[in-house]
Amino acid sequence: MDADQVEVNIPSLLRSCSVKLIFNLILSLGEEDGVLRRRARSALMTVQSILASASTDAKQGVSTIVQRSVDNLKDVSKGQSPRSGGNVHQQKQVLSSELADFLSQHILGVLAYVNELLRDSENSSSSNKMADVVAYHQQQRRRMVLRAIGELAVLLGPRLLPFAPNIVASLTPPLDGPLASVALHAWEILAENLAHAMLSAEQLNLLIVPLLTTFAACGETIRQGAASVINRVVKLHERAVAQNFMRICPIPDDPLLADSYGAMYRLKIAQSLVDRTVNLTRLLKTKDATVVMCAANELYSLIRRHGNAFGKWKLKLSPGLSASLLIHESESATRSSDS
């Protein structure tokens, strides 16, 4: 190589140029128009195909990469998937697996970008008092971002589970806002696409506890939406719930949560009163305020229903537990007087 020539690593160059494109294509997965969503998905497959083959094609020169890109883009313009060998069914399976692998390599960066978009839109619309038309477009963009997260969960497929905490972290703040229903829909898609996995107690609480927090704090419409998703989560993961119910946040006895509460109650009723009390007391030691309050409420109900048994045990409540039960009793009395 001459002294004035510079060696270019084609695969690295393509990757560095594609980052912004990948972000924008993933956001386009949240478009309302189904045709635009399909085009974004096909374009993502094209980018993945080009990058995957770049290392091999680099030896044959830029012209090979360009020709492959042109071929793939022709397929996209026709609404087809990028070219690959094999029959159509096998091709779709291979492409889905390859795309899931590809997205899993970029998911953390994508979510960081998504979180920034959500924060920017929220901050600018609330502090700068922009014109209505600007605020409307920002709200629509946030809506698209949340829908894109749901689509991303679908595309990740079996690669989804390790990134579930990151996705939940992105979906949780919008639960307390005007786009809560969109976030709840994405949450349900996340739970559905985790149905193949046997979730641990920690992973189940990850899906359930933020929804219970929303259920307790929001108005009736959002309460109904949150309850619907909670019931769906418990139903989808009933085997995991049955295996881990002693360590899962208790579901409140509320008509909107009848399905999930009933499923949990049928599991707990088989336990002795002592075991149920011990499990609830254990949950009171967690750091999450929602888990503590739900456990305190259930323990309070147990004491009211089985007061004689608790008296025979000469149960000595800890100061923290006593305080929780007193707070619950005070709130119950307030609600009764209001009604």
Side-chain angles (χ1 to χ4, degrees):
M1 181 180 294
D2 297 338
D4 58 345
Q5 290 181 323
V6 178
E7 183 177 358
V8 177
N9 187 311
I10 295 178
S12 297
L13 178 62
L14 285 172
R15 287 187 177 87
S16 64
C17 294
S18 66
V19 172
K20 183 68 174 178
L21 173 61
I22 293 169
F23 286 168
N24 288 333
L25 288 176
I26 288 176
L27 289 185
S28 296
L29 293 172
E31 292 281 1
E32 285 188 305
D33 190 320
V35 173
L36 294 179
R37 290 199 303 272
R38 288 193 294 274
R39 286 180 179 174
R41 184 179 297 202
S42 295
L44 273 172
M45 289 182 176
T46 298
V47 172
Q48 181 275 325
S49 178
I50 292 171
L51 293 179
S53 60
S55 296
T56 301
D57 292 344
K59 298 177 182 179
Q60 303 174 37
V62 176
S63 61
T64 303
I65 296 177
V66 172
Q67 185 58 51
R68 186 185 296 272
S69 303
V70 170
D71 291 340
N72 284 333
L73 288 172
K74 286 180 180 177
D75 292 337
V76 170
S77 67
K78 298 175 184 177
Q80 301 172 353
S81 298
R83 298 184 181 187
S84 178
N87 61 46
V88 174
H89 179 68
Q90 290 176 334
Q91 178 181 336
K92 286 183 178 179
Q93 286 186 321
V94 170
L95 288 172
S96 295
S97 177
E98 290 177 350
L99 183 59
D101 288 339
F102 173 71
L103 291 174
S104 67
Q105 298 170 24
H106 298 276
I107 181 64
L108 296 181
V110 168
L111 290 176
Y113 179 58
V114 160
N115 294 339
E116 195 64 33
L117 286 176
L118 292 173
R119 280 195 297 270
D120 284 348
S121 297
E122 183 175 9
N123 291 338
S124 58
S125 63
S126 61
S127 61
N128 294 337
K129 297 182 179 179
M130 292 183 174
D132 290 345
V133 64
V134 176
Y136 170 78
H137 285 298
Q138 286 188 329
Q139 194 81 324
Q140 291 301 103
R141 185 169 179 79
R142 294 184 71 205
R143 190 183 299 272
M144 185 174 73
V145 167
L146 292 172
R147 286 197 300 262
I149 295 176
E151 291 294 322
L152 190 57
V154 175
L155 293 179
L156 282 168
R159 306 289 189 274
L160 175 61
L161 184 57
F163 306 107
N166 307 90
I167 293 176
V168 166
S170 296
L171 291 176
T172 298
L175 291 177
D176 183 24
L179 294 180
S181 59
V182 186
L184 286 170
H185 180 65
W187 203 293
E188 186 170 1
I189 293 174
L190 172 64
E192 289 172 350
N193 284 273
L194 288 171
H196 66 278
M198 188 66 173
L199 301 186
S200 66
E202 290 75 15
Q203 291 163 338
L204 287 167
N205 281 328
L206 178 75
L207 291 176
I208 293 173
V209 173
L211 296 176
L212 286 173
T213 303
T214 299
F215 179 81
C218 294
E220 189 61 24
T221 300
I222 301 304
R223 276 171 56 85
Q224 292 177 0
S228 176
V229 180
I230 292 169
N231 290 332
R232 182 72 173 142
V233 170
V234 173
K235 177 64 177 176
L236 284 168
H237 299 278
E238 55 186 351
R239 288 196 304 118
V241 168
Q243 185 171 314
N244 297 286
F245 72 93
M246 292 184 294
R247 297 165 56 203
I248 298 174
C249 180
I251 304 295
D253 184 6
D254 186 283
L256 293 175
L257 295 168
D259 291 344
S260 51
Y261 174 81
M264 296 281 282
Y265 181 79
R266 287 189 291 274
L267 294 168
K268 294 176 181 179
I269 200 67
Q271 285 186 302
S272 69
L273 191 57
V274 175
D275 288 340
R276 292 178 70 183
T277 304
V278 169
N279 291 334
L280 289 170
T281 304
R282 215 178 268 133
L283 289 173
L284 288 171
K285 298 176 182 178
T286 62
K287 295 180 180 179
D288 190 284
T290 298
V291 176
V292 171
M293 186 53 65
C294 288
N297 290 348
E298 188 161 310
L299 184 54
Y300 179 77
S301 297
L302 277 182
I303 293 174
R304 291 197 64 177
R305 287 200 303 267
H306 305 280
N308 292 336
F310 280 89
K312 290 177 182 177
W313 297 341
K314 297 181 180 178
L315 182 65
K316 294 182 179 179
L317 301 178
S318 67
L321 176 55
S322 299
S324 297
L325 296 178
L326 285 172
I327 290 171
H328 177 79
E329 188 169 21
S330 174
E331 290 176 344
S332 298
T334 302
R335 284 195 293 268
S336 298
S337 62
D338 290 341
S339 59

